[in-house]
Amino acid sequence: MTNTVEVSTPSDREVQVVREFNAPRELVFRAWTEPQLLARWMSGYPGWNVTKSEGDPRAGGQQRIEWTGPEGAFMAMTVTYREFVPPERLVTIEVFDEAWHPGEAVTTIVFTEEVTGVTTVTMTIVYDSREARDIAVSTGMTEGMAFTYEALDRLLAELA
Amino acid sequence: MFIEQGGYQLTDDQLDAVFSALADPTRRKILARLAKGEATVNELVEPFDMSQPAISKHIKVLERAGLVTRGRKAQRRPVRIDARMLAEATSWLEGYRELWEANFQRLDALLQEMKASGSSAPPLKEEQP
């Protein structure tokens, strides 16, 4: 099983993230959609926490996720489920309160389990324009958050 | 739009050229071979079931993207990898990859808990500030 994250750019408006997980896709799908489970892992950089995660995971439903970061930093996002097909597929529209980038991002997440107990997640995010994609990806890495491996080690030790 | 990375800047066109150069598996294999040392076109053709003109075309794409350079020795003109361009282009996504790696390591831990506790979801843990 490869659990390295592969990031690529299939087109000039897209980013794709692929990763394998050592769990059946029913569980991975739940972890990706149930608000209380999502809050446990989608916290972003060390020092950031999910402070609100609520919503209605179903086709046409919405979810609200809020993060708090160092020195009172705040981020929030509303997710609308365009497609919701457990345990295999999600299509969402994500809008950040403070748009990091113009327009909307449409995210397609496909969960496949070719080997029993191993789920491959392929997440493809399409932006309105190449500029929007570039801004979203580069602000993902430079938003004033110094990301260090020491902080990650600490986090992993807490979860172990 | 310029993507700044460690003091260097890559234009949209440069990034475009690098990513489409990398999108082809034959070109990636050529780069992997060149990472071990320079090679002539004939040496690069050898492992592939492809004609020399076909491989030469791939090398031209890599050259236009700034990923390889051609030497000037009259007969041989060896092909060399240009590691700097590759590093500049790929590190653009590196921070983004690190962000998702961090998220997914936490997801790994959560999934192990979910498997261990059967079908019931574990309670929401209080996050440390």
Side-chain angles (χ1 to χ4, degrees):
Chain A
M1 184 189 81
T2 334
N3 61 3
T4 51
V5 179
E6 288 168 26
V7 177
S8 61
T9 52
S11 79
D12 65 4
R13 294 192 298 137
E14 294 173 79
V15 184
Q16 188 171 85
V17 177
V18 183
R19 193 356 173 110
E20 286 182 9
F21 296 92
N22 194 20
R25 60 179 183 169
E26 286 76 12
L27 289 189
V28 185
F29 188 92
R30 282 185 54 210
W32 219 287
T33 51
E34 289 178 24
Q36 296 318 299
L37 296 178
L38 194 61
R40 292 284 308 277
W41 64 272
M42 208 185 260
S43 48
Y45 289 108
W48 285 76
N49 292 314
V50 176
T51 45
K52 179 189 266 192
S53 180
E54 55 188 33
D56 194 10
R58 58 173 179 83
Q62 280 202 335
Q63 239 174 24
R64 174 91 184 146
I65 306 171
E66 292 178 6
W67 294 266
T68 306
E71 282 147 40
F74 178 80
M75 231 163 63
M77 161 171 101
T78 304
V79 177
T80 306
Y81 287 102
R82 202 193 251 177
E83 285 178 42
F84 188 92
V85 188
E88 54 188 61
R89 182 180 168 84
L90 288 169
V91 178
T92 64
I93 313 256
E94 283 145 20
V95 181
F96 280 87
D97 281 12
E98 286 203 35
W100 295 6
H101 54 81
E104 288 179 340
V106 181
T107 302
T108 301
I109 307 169
V110 176
F111 304 80
T112 55
E113 191 177 346
E114 279 170 41
V115 172
T116 305
V118 179
T119 299
T120 303
V121 176
T122 304
M123 180 172 67
T124 309
I125 311 172
V126 183
Y127 294 89
D128 279 357
S129 67
R130 176 236 225 76
E131 255 193 20
R133 193 268 316 264
D134 290 351
I135 292 167
V137 171
S138 56
T139 54
M141 86 185 154
T142 61
E143 268 289 276
M145 294 173 265
F147 182 71
T148 64
Y149 279 103
E150 296 91 87
L152 179 59
D153 286 343
R154 259 186 275 122
L155 185 69
L156 292 173
E158 277 172 46
L159 290 171
Chain B
M1 165 100 200
F2 289 90
I3 302 294
E4 225 170 61
Q5 188 58 45
Y8 300 106
Q9 285 184 325
L10 294 184
T11 63
D12 281 346
D13 286 347
Q14 282 177 314
L15 274 174
D16 241 356
V18 171
F19 285 120
S20 53
L22 292 176
D24 180 277
T26 303
R27 291 196 285 268
R28 290 200 296 272
K29 288 198 183 95
I30 292 172
L31 281 177
R33 165 59 186 83
L34 291 173
K36 296 181 187 152
E38 67 180 39
T40 60
V41 175
N42 286 335
E43 285 166 351
L44 291 173
V45 171
E46 216 248 304
F48 297 103
D49 190 15
M50 261 187 220
S51 69
Q52 204 235 38
I55 295 290
S56 287
K57 258 197 188 153
H58 282 305
I59 293 171
K60 277 202 178 65
V61 172
L62 290 169
E63 205 178 351
R64 266 187 260 117
L67 291 170
V68 304
T69 55
R70 302 293 303 275
R72 290 242 172 274
K73 294 177 196 169
Q75 306 279 40
R76 283 169 43 90
R77 298 204 70 211
V79 188
R80 286 183 199 105
I81 197 168
D82 188 327
R84 197 188 86 167
M85 185 57 109
L86 189 63
E88 284 181 50
T90 56
S91 65
W92 175 69
L93 291 176
E94 188 55 29
Y96 188 75
R97 196 178 64 80
E98 283 175 5
L99 169 66
W100 281 104
E101 226 170 38
N103 280 338
F104 292 152
Q105 301 232 21
R106 284 183 289 265
L107 178 51
D108 281 338
L110 173 63
L111 288 168
Q112 292 317 304
E113 280 186 40
M114 287 169 78
K115 287 195 327 187
S117 67
S119 58
S120 56
L124 181 65
K125 252 195 231 175
E126 196 104 45
E127 291 289 345
Q128 300 304 311

